[in-house]
Amino acid sequence: MALPVLNRAEKLNPIIELGYNGINFHHRCFLEKGFSSHGRIYQTRRLMPKCSLSSSRPASQPRFIQHKKEAFWFYRFLSIVYDHIINPGHWTKDMRDDALELVELNNRNLTVVDVGGGTGFTTLGIVRHVDAKNVTILDQSPHQLAKAKQKEPLKECKIIEGDAEDLPFPTDYADRYVLAASIEDWPDPQRGIKEAYRVLKIGGTACIIGPVYPTFWLSRFFEDVWMLFPKEEKYIEWFKKDGFSNVKLKRICPKWCRGVRRHGLIMGCSVTGVKHCSGESGLTSSGKLFLLYIIIIKLGPKAEDVKKPVNPLTFLLRLLLGVTATTYFALVPIYMWIKDKIVPKGMPI
């Protein structure tokens, strides 16, 4: 069942919330990590999201391009125009402010990590509420980070190169974890969200802002070969597996989009979850023993080996395909903007 087409993007913000009710704090910690003695898990659900007419490609299936080593060079060139080409069509200031509402940046002294922070566009929204000296921007692209360093409001931020799957922060470190426009590049989203859980303090909030899966055939083709555009329910599943509670999903969209999501949106939803237990996620690479229950959950080896040599011809073909896909998704917002101007208000576009 496809999502309904709404008349205004402001109305495209139902919050899907999944949480635990009727459980005291200690039982909640055990349940989130996958252990139970006599307690039961109770879930409340306002709305079960449906965002595609067909099944999406499995998240674990490798894309033809956008592997980490190749993405390094891809963003080497995209960083030059990122703020001027990509953001105006897919990640506007209004969308950024809307998406960050669930993060509850309500204290200037909060410790925040902006993972996959790139050129610092999302960070600019964070430092409006949190002192820049308490914010760390992490990205694997030095070229993207170079753009962030040039922005005056971010001068006091810590800016470091790093991998979202292996964050260089201690366990129980940050009050808030924010990631925008990055999960579509991840080879193993569950591992990255597991790291988000680890670095947060008890009561800390993780927020992932990312794309939604397209239903239009051409958009779906480019998504399947290029990046990972998850379904909304997949985001929720990843968060719950890693032990997050109070999981919420908020839909975001450019104002001129009128709620149309069939083409997929590089920024289509904001998902948050709260960490209630100290330490790492219950989703581990080794077995755990608790209350006479043995839970064995394995993530397995990393999906990508960045040290593995790349065939130059393969690299070139992937780069060309990436440029084609990028051009397509850059043109989609222009197409939708023109339709918004031409088609009378109140009519679907």
Side-chain angles (χ1 to χ4, degrees):
M1 179 178 178
L3 286 171
V5 176
L6 306 180
N7 291 331
R8 294 291 298 169
E10 304 89 83
K11 299 179 182 179
L12 190 68
N13 288 327
I15 297 176
I16 298 100
E17 179 176 357
L18 292 88
Y20 300 136
N21 291 335
I23 307 172
N24 66 37
F25 177 80
H26 296 291
H27 281 136
R28 182 182 297 163
C29 289
F30 301 150
L31 291 172
E32 285 169 7
K33 288 180 177 289
F35 310 115
S36 174
S37 54
H38 304 291
R40 294 177 60 192
I41 297 180
Y42 296 86
Q43 296 181 354
T44 60
R45 184 171 60 188
R46 294 183 188 175
L47 174 66
M48 184 62 187
K50 298 289 183 182
C51 60
S52 175
L53 292 172
S54 60
S55 298
S56 61
R57 173 185 43 73
S60 59
Q61 179 178 324
R63 274 87 69 200
F64 293 134
I65 61 171
Q66 287 304 100
H67 300 295
K68 289 178 183 176
K69 183 179 291 187
E70 293 150 355
F72 173 90
W73 291 104
F74 183 79
Y75 282 98
R76 165 66 181 86
F77 301 103
L78 189 62
S79 63
I80 300 172
V81 297
Y82 194 90
D83 287 338
H84 309 290
I85 300 294
I86 302 300
N87 284 341
H90 292 276
W91 189 216
T92 65
K93 291 181 180 179
D94 289 342
M95 292 172 66
R96 180 186 66 192
D97 295 341
D98 200 22
L100 290 176
E101 279 187 1
L102 293 179
V103 187
E104 297 185 357
L105 300 171
N106 50 16
N107 189 320
R108 302 293 307 181
N109 295 317
L110 291 173
T111 301
V112 182
V113 292
D114 183 6
V115 178
T119 63
F121 180 79
T122 304
T123 324
L124 290 173
I126 295 172
V127 298
R128 291 177 58 192
H129 309 280
V130 178
D131 289 343
K133 63 182 180 181
N134 299 323
V135 178
T136 301
I137 309 173
L138 178 143
D139 200 281
Q140 73 153 2
S141 170
H143 309 102
Q144 293 276 79
L145 292 176
K147 296 293 183 180
K149 291 178 181 178
Q150 297 173 7
K151 295 174 179 173
E152 188 62 33
L154 307 181
K155 293 295 184 181
E156 294 188 47
C157 293
K158 303 179 188 70
I159 299 179
I160 58 177
E161 291 182 39
D163 187 342
E165 291 184 0
D166 289 297
L167 295 175
F169 308 113
T171 300
D172 300 328
Y173 166 75
D175 298 297
R176 301 288 186 270
Y177 169 105
V178 177
L179 179 135
S182 181
I183 196 171
E184 57 268 27
D185 294 322
W186 288 6
D188 190 351
Q190 192 73 72
R191 188 183 298 274
I193 296 174
K194 177 179 180 291
E195 273 290 90
Y197 187 97
R198 181 187 67 79
V199 302
L200 282 172
K201 299 176 183 176
I202 297 177
T205 299
C207 174
I208 291 183
I209 306 160
V212 294
Y213 189 70
T215 58
F216 182 64
W217 68 271
L218 188 55
S219 298
R220 191 166 61 242
F221 167 77
F222 281 118
E223 182 277 335
D224 283 342
V225 300
W226 181 39
M227 286 182 168
L228 172 66
F229 283 34
K231 288 186 175 183
E232 292 178 346
E233 54 263 40
K234 194 64 181 179
Y235 283 103
I236 293 172
E237 177 187 329
W238 286 329
F239 268 70
K240 291 175 64 181
K241 276 186 177 180
D242 273 308
F244 283 104
S245 63
N246 301 330
V247 179
K248 299 178 182 179
L249 184 147
K250 184 177 185 179
R251 294 169 184 155
I252 55 175
C253 185
K255 291 182 178 179
W256 38 260
C257 195
R258 297 199 200 176
V260 175
R261 300 164 76 80
R262 62 178 175 269
H263 295 289
L265 299 165
I266 292 182
M267 293 298 184
C269 64
S270 174
V271 189
T272 57
V274 178
K275 175 177 177 176
H276 283 298
C277 304
S278 179
E280 297 189 10
S281 164
L283 185 63
T284 66
S285 57
S286 61
K288 284 194 173 184
L289 175 64
F290 185 79
L291 295 179
L292 303 181
Y293 285 80
I294 299 178
I295 308 296
I296 301 177
I297 307 174
K298 291 188 177 181
L299 284 174
K302 283 189 174 183
E304 283 184 20
D305 181 4
V306 294
K307 297 180 181 179
K308 185 178 179 180
V310 178
N311 184 295
L313 179 59
T314 301
F315 174 82
L316 179 60
L317 290 175
R318 285 174 170 169
L319 184 63
L320 291 175
L321 181 58
V323 171
T324 304
T326 303
T327 303
Y328 172 80
F329 280 108
L331 291 175
V332 165
I334 299 175
Y335 166 71
M336 297 302 296
W337 180 83
I338 293 174
K339 289 188 73 174
D340 178 61
K341 297 299 181 182
I342 295 176
V343 178
K345 302 297 182 182
M347 294 182 60
I349 60 173

